[in-house]
Amino acid sequence: MTVTVDASRCIACGMCAYAAPEVFRIVGRTSTVIAQPEGKAPKVRDAANGCPVNAIRVS
Ligand code: SF4
């Protein structure tokens, strides 16, 4: 699984960093992927599905 955040869309709401702090961190005014998740990482999929601006891509 590879996770990316589209910084041009992110509004830094913090939801993803709250849901999966081992993967996402708010740096400045955008969420940053600090580590790729291991395994199926359902929390990361939840974060992607819950992002209000659809900025998180999981592949
Ligand atoms: S949930 Fe989406 S908008 Fe909110 S901080 Fe994460 S990537 Fe940015």
Side-chain angles (χ1 to χ4, degrees), residues 5 10-16 26 31 47 51-53 55-56:
V5 172
C10 176
I11 57 172
C13 72
M15 185 280 293
C16 57
I26 302 298
S31 175
C51 176
V53 293
I56 301 172

